[in-house]
Amino acid sequence: MSTRSPSPSNLYLGCAGWSLPREQWLAFPVEGTHLQRYSARFPAVEINSSFYRPHRPATYAKWADSVTSDFRFSVKVPKQITHERRLLDCEGLMDDFLGQCSQLGEKLGCLLIQLPPSLAFDAAVAEAFFTALRDRYQGYAVLEPRHPSWLAPTAQALLQAQHIGRVAADPSPLPGCDRPAGWPGVRYYRLHGSPRIYYSPYDEPWLERLARQLKTGADTPTWCIFDNTASGAATPNALRLLELMRD
């Protein structure tokens, strides 16, 4: 039976979702649910489905019970908050969402807040949103903005003040957003596949460069999520990166 590869304790490496491509089944245990088999090799996962629809608290609790105590979930904030309400007047929705995913307990590792490309930085709106979030949740949180106004020094200062990391994305939606920024207490890499987003696998030299980046500043809690899942490339890429980190 395959077991989880050793990795630095501050590295939360995995995929967006725990679906296992059939071609990779030999790398995972035979028994158990997909999540149980996935968590035997990876220390973390990003839940994207929460962006599209709510999950019952009991579902989150079941997921938490399916994994070991050191496994961590990142949960994507619902699009109702980020794309429909656009961060405005969403305290009730925030309460609902946090009431659901808080059933992960200590295994709730991070919240991912992805903004639509059309959502520009508004200091008053952003400060009110992050203040409301921090009143309810004190754990790790990261922002993936896609409008250039979020690169302004005032936006950076707000993220630092509210202890919000800025996602390093590939391909980068904005200049310089291929490296983590915002609050330096957490790093979060989202790897969507390049050149064909969600499909393209990363080659060996690219993964080796990434491994060197991750090993720099390894004391900082670091998330590295492969989102190139459409053709099944995420799983082998993540497994290979785990090997490189172990080496």
Side-chain angles (χ1 to χ4, degrees), residues 124-184:
V125 171
E127 184 168 4
F129 171 77
F130 288 123
T131 298
L133 174 66
R134 284 309 188 197
D135 286 344
R136 295 160 170 81
Y137 169 80
Q138 288 75 50
Y140 291 117
V142 294
L143 180 75
E144 186 175 14
R146 291 181 287 173
H147 189 282
S149 59
W150 286 89
L151 302 181
T154 49
Q156 175 79 3
L158 177 62
L159 296 181
Q160 291 188 358
Q162 296 284 1
H163 289 189
I164 306 291
R166 196 182 77 201
V167 168
D170 183 80
S172 176
L174 300 170
C177 283
D178 57 341
R179 291 297 182 99
W183 182 57

